[in-house]
Amino acid sequence: MDSVVTLSILRQAITYVREGNMRRARALGFTDSELRELRRLSATDVDALASSNPVVCRLSVDHELLGGVFRRLSTDVDREQTIDRCLMLGASVQMMYSFFGLTGNDCSTRRALLGLESRQGRLAMPSEESEHDAYRRWQQICDVPDDVRAADDIQGMIVLAEETNIPLGVVWQLVKNWSRAMIDSPNRLQLLPDGGRACAR
């Protein structure tokens, strides 16, 4: 196994030198004088060097860089899963563009891949009672329910859409309305019998 790794490293270094990419060849750990010697070796000499004992090349792992790549891959997977989840919960094109930069065509393509029917027209708003119930639940889900930042809480809105069966695109509009109403005029938020509040219609 060591000879296979060594041979791969030597051949890669020689390839870099022949391409004139000395920076990458040096990054493998070789000095300029070693690279010049490698460049002069025949294929038979390289094979012999790779099979020599003790081993002249060893593989090392950049743990910090590898960890960063793992985190980026995990983030990419999470993003794709969140996009699919949003579409399945009825997110609007405007919402998908705002959060993920997706166009109408992007959304249509993804909906088709997910087996979702294309929607026509605007989503219907919930009844006043349903909105009151949703608002009460939102006060429990969101850390800043009466702040403009509430409309950025994509995970919280996903939870609300799943629990209330209100399309995610409508949930997004409701959350924006609730936060604006509280900031612009607290009186627009009506007190409910149980002490909760909902946006006045």
Side-chain angles (χ1 to χ4, degrees):
M1 182 64 180
D2 287 338
S3 62
V4 174
V5 172
T6 298
L7 183 59
S8 296
I9 294 174
L10 294 174
R11 285 178 174 174
Q12 188 62 67
I14 293 171
T15 298
Y16 284 148
V17 172
R18 288 173 177 169
E19 293 174 349
N21 196 339
M22 296 299 292
R23 181 181 62 81
R24 300 198 70 173
R26 295 188 192 102
L28 292 173
F30 297 98
T31 65
D32 286 353
S33 61
E34 290 168 342
L35 292 172
R36 285 193 292 271
E37 290 295 331
L38 284 176
R39 181 68 179 82
R40 286 196 286 264
L41 295 180
S42 66
T44 301
D45 292 333
V46 173
D47 289 340
L49 181 58
S51 302
S52 65
N53 192 16
V55 177
V56 297
C57 296
R58 289 183 175 83
L59 183 66
S60 64
V61 177
D62 187 324
H63 299 288
E64 183 176 349
L65 182 60
L66 182 60
V69 173
F70 282 155
R71 288 190 293 273
R72 185 170 66 252
L73 290 174
S74 178
T75 298
D76 290 344
V77 170
D78 290 343
R79 180 179 184 274
E80 292 301 305
Q81 291 177 341
T82 300
I83 288 174
D84 288 348
R85 195 174 175 193
C86 288
L87 289 172
M88 288 187 289
L89 288 171
S92 63
V93 172
Q94 292 84 354
M95 184 178 187
M96 298 304 293
Y97 180 79
S98 178
F99 280 92
F100 306 107
L102 299 186
T103 65
N105 287 336
D106 294 332
C107 292
S108 295
T109 300
R110 282 180 172 268
R111 285 195 181 104
L113 292 174
L114 292 169
L116 302 174
E117 294 183 2
S118 297
R119 293 184 286 100
Q120 299 294 329
R122 300 181 63 179
L123 291 168
M125 298 298 286
S127 66
E128 188 170 351
E129 181 180 359
S130 296
E131 182 180 345
H132 289 176
D133 292 340
Y135 183 80
R136 282 193 294 266
R137 183 67 183 106
W138 182 242
Q139 296 292 304
Q140 300 168 342
I141 293 174
C142 184
D143 292 333
V144 286
D146 299 326
D147 191 288
V148 290
R149 292 172 296 168
D152 296 328
D153 185 0
I154 183 69
Q155 294 301 330
M157 288 186 287
I158 285 175
V159 171
L160 186 62
E162 288 178 332
E163 291 186 1
T164 62
N165 290 321
I166 297 175
L168 186 57
V170 174
V171 168
W172 186 47
Q173 290 300 323
L174 290 175
V175 169
K176 290 192 292 183
N177 291 344
W178 295 334
S179 59
R180 280 198 301 262
M182 173 55 75
I183 293 171
D184 297 341
S185 177
N187 292 331
R188 288 183 60 197
L189 288 177
Q190 297 177 336
L191 289 177
L192 300 177
D194 64 355
R197 293 172 297 179
C199 185
R201 291 175 178 262

